[in-house]
Coordinates of all heavy atoms in Angstrom, one line a residue:
T1007 N -65.9 19.2 -103.5 CA -65.3 18.9 -102.2 C -65.1 20.1 -101.4 O -64.9 21.2 -101.9 CB -63.9 18.2 -102.4 OG1 -63.0 19.1 -103.0 CG2 -64.1 16.9 -103.3
S1008 N -65.1 19.9 -100.1 CA -64.7 21.0 -99.1 C -64.0 20.3 -98.0 O -64.3 19.2 -97.6 CB -65.9 21.8 -98.7 OG -66.8 20.9 -98.0
H1009 N -63.0 21.0 -97.4 CA -62.2 20.4 -96.4 C -61.7 21.4 -95.4 O -61.3 22.5 -95.7 CB -60.9 19.8 -97.1 CG -60.1 18.9 -96.3 ND1 -58.8 18.9 -96.3 CD2 -60.5 17.9 -95.4 CE1 -58.3 18.0 -95.5 NE2 -59.3 17.4 -94.9
I1010 N -61.8 21.0 -94.1 CA -61.3 21.8 -93.0 C -60.3 20.9 -92.3 O -60.7 19.8 -91.9 CB -62.4 22.2 -92.0 CG1 -63.5 23.1 -92.8 CG2 -61.9 23.0 -90.9 CD1 -64.7 23.4 -91.9
A1011 N -59.1 21.4 -92.0 CA -58.1 20.5 -91.5 C -57.1 21.3 -90.6 O -57.0 22.5 -90.7 CB -57.3 19.8 -92.6
I1012 N -56.4 20.5 -89.8 CA -55.3 21.1 -89.0 C -54.1 20.2 -89.3 O -54.1 19.0 -89.2 CB -55.6 21.1 -87.5 CG1 -56.8 22.0 -87.1 CG2 -54.3 21.5 -86.7 CD1 -57.1 22.0 -85.7
A1013 N -53.0 20.9 -89.8 CA -51.8 20.2 -90.1 C -50.7 20.4 -89.0 O -50.7 21.5 -88.5 CB -51.2 20.7 -91.5
F1014 N -50.0 19.4 -88.8 CA -48.8 19.5 -87.8 C -47.6 19.1 -88.6 O -47.5 18.0 -89.2 CB -49.0 18.5 -86.7 CG -50.3 18.7 -85.9 CD1 -51.5 18.1 -86.3 CD2 -50.3 19.5 -84.8 CE1 -52.7 18.3 -85.6 CE2 -51.5 19.7 -84.0 CZ -52.6 19.1 -84.5
G1015 N -46.6 20.0 -88.6 CA -45.4 19.7 -89.4 C -44.2 20.5 -88.9 O -44.2 21.1 -87.9
K1016 N -43.2 20.3 -89.7 CA -41.9 21.0 -89.5 C -41.3 21.4 -90.8 O -41.3 20.6 -91.7 CB -41.0 20.1 -88.7 CG -39.7 20.9 -88.2 CD -38.9 20.1 -87.2 CE -37.7 21.0 -86.7 NZ -36.9 20.3 -85.7
Q1017 N -40.8 22.6 -90.8 CA -40.1 23.1 -92.0 C -38.7 23.5 -91.8 O -38.4 24.2 -90.8 CB -40.9 24.4 -92.6 CG -40.3 24.9 -93.9 CD -41.3 25.8 -94.6 OE1 -42.0 25.4 -95.5 NE2 -41.4 27.1 -94.2
W1018 N -37.8 23.1 -92.7 CA -36.4 23.4 -92.6 C -36.0 24.3 -93.8 O -36.5 24.1 -94.9 CB -35.5 22.1 -92.7 CG -35.6 21.2 -91.5 CD1 -34.9 21.2 -90.4 CD2 -36.6 20.1 -91.4 NE1 -35.3 20.2 -89.5 CE2 -36.3 19.5 -90.2 CE3 -37.6 19.6 -92.2 CZ2 -37.1 18.4 -89.7 CZ3 -38.3 18.5 -91.8 CH2 -38.1 17.9 -90.6
I1019 N -35.2 25.3 -93.5 CA -34.7 26.2 -94.5 C -33.2 26.0 -94.7 O -32.4 26.1 -93.7 CB -35.0 27.7 -94.2 CG1 -36.5 27.9 -93.9 CG2 -34.5 28.6 -95.3 CD1 -37.4 27.6 -95.1
L1020 N -32.8 25.7 -95.9 CA -31.4 25.4 -96.2 C -30.8 26.6 -96.9 O -31.2 26.9 -98.1 CB -31.2 24.2 -97.0 CG -31.9 22.9 -96.4 CD1 -31.7 21.7 -97.4 CD2 -31.4 22.6 -95.0
D1021 N -29.8 27.3 -96.3 CA -29.0 28.3 -97.0 C -29.9 29.5 -97.5 O -29.6 30.1 -98.5 CB -28.2 27.7 -98.1 CG -27.1 28.7 -98.6 OD1 -26.6 29.5 -97.8 OD2 -26.8 28.7 -99.8
N1022 N -31.0 29.8 -96.8 CA -31.9 30.9 -97.1 C -32.4 30.7 -98.6 O -32.8 31.7 -99.2 CB -31.2 32.2 -97.0 CG -32.1 33.4 -96.9 OD1 -33.3 33.3 -96.5 ND2 -31.7 34.5 -97.4
T1023 N -32.5 29.5 -99.1 CA -32.8 29.2 -100.5 C -33.8 28.1 -100.7 O -34.8 28.2 -101.4 CB -31.6 28.9 -101.3 OG1 -30.6 30.0 -101.2 CG2 -31.9 28.8 -102.8
I1024 N -33.6 27.0 -100.0 CA -34.4 25.7 -100.2 C -35.2 25.5 -98.9 O -34.7 25.6 -97.8 CB -33.5 24.5 -100.4 CG1 -32.6 24.8 -101.7 CG2 -34.3 23.3 -100.7 CD1 -33.3 25.0 -102.9
A1025 N -36.5 25.1 -99.2 CA -37.4 24.8 -98.1 C -37.8 23.3 -98.2 O -38.1 22.8 -99.3 CB -38.7 25.7 -98.1
I1026 N -37.8 22.6 -97.1 CA -38.3 21.2 -97.0 C -39.3 21.2 -95.9 O -39.0 21.5 -94.7 CB -37.1 20.3 -96.7 CG1 -36.1 20.3 -97.8 CG2 -37.7 18.8 -96.6 CD1 -34.8 19.5 -97.5
D1027 N -40.5 20.8 -96.2 CA -41.6 20.8 -95.3 C -42.3 19.4 -95.2 O -42.7 18.9 -96.2 CB -42.7 21.8 -95.8 CG -43.8 22.1 -94.8 OD1 -44.0 21.3 -93.9 OD2 -44.5 23.2 -95.0
V1028 N -42.3 18.9 -94.0 CA -42.9 17.5 -93.8 C -44.1 17.7 -92.8 O -44.0 18.4 -91.8 CB -41.9 16.6 -93.2 CG1 -42.5 15.2 -92.9 CG2 -40.7 16.4 -94.1
Y1029 N -45.3 17.1 -93.2 CA -46.5 17.4 -92.4 C -47.4 16.2 -92.4 O -47.3 15.3 -93.3 CB -47.2 18.6 -93.0 CG -47.9 18.3 -94.3 CD1 -49.2 17.9 -94.4 CD2 -47.1 18.5 -95.5 CE1 -49.8 17.6 -95.6 CE2 -47.7 18.2 -96.7 CZ -49.0 17.8 -96.8 OH -49.6 17.5 -98.0
G1030 N -48.3 16.2 -91.4 CA -49.4 15.3 -91.3 C -50.6 16.1 -90.9 O -50.5 17.1 -90.3
M1031 N -51.8 15.6 -91.3 CA -53.0 16.5 -91.0 C -54.2 15.6 -90.8 O -54.3 14.4 -91.2 CB -53.3 17.4 -92.2 CG -53.7 16.8 -93.5 SD -54.1 18.0 -94.7 CE -54.5 16.9 -96.1
A1032 N -55.1 16.2 -90.1 CA -56.4 15.5 -89.8 C -57.5 16.6 -89.9 O -57.3 17.8 -89.6 CB -56.4 14.9 -88.4
G1033 N -58.7 16.2 -90.4 CA -59.7 17.2 -90.5 C -61.1 16.5 -90.8 O -61.4 15.4 -90.5
L1034 N -61.9 17.4 -91.4 CA -63.3 17.0 -91.8 C -63.5 17.3 -93.2 O -63.3 18.4 -93.7 CB -64.3 17.7 -90.9 CG -65.8 17.4 -91.2 CD1 -66.1 16.0 -90.7 CD2 -66.7 18.5 -90.4
G1035 N -64.0 16.2 -94.0 CA -64.3 16.4 -95.4 C -65.7 16.3 -95.7 O -66.4 15.4 -95.1
I1036 N -66.2 17.1 -96.6 CA -67.6 17.1 -97.1 C -67.6 17.1 -98.6 O -66.9 17.9 -99.2 CB -68.4 18.3 -96.6 CG1 -68.4 18.3 -95.0 CG2 -69.9 18.2 -97.0 CD1 -69.0 19.6 -94.4
D1037 N -68.3 16.1 -99.2 CA -68.3 16.0 -100.7 C -69.5 15.2 -101.1 O -70.2 14.7 -100.3 CB -67.0 15.4 -101.2 CG -66.7 14.0 -100.6 OD1 -67.5 13.1 -100.9 OD2 -65.8 13.9 -99.7

Side-chain angles (χ1 to χ4, degrees):
T1007 65
S1008 60
H1009 191 220
I1010 302 173
I1012 297 180
F1014 301 86
K1016 186 168 185 178
Q1017 183 162 263
W1018 294 269
I1019 304 299
L1020 308 180
D1021 195 30
N1022 198 28
T1023 304
I1024 303 299
I1026 301 176
D1027 188 340
V1028 180
Y1029 70 93
M1031 67 178 178
L1034 178 69
I1036 304 173
D1037 55 71

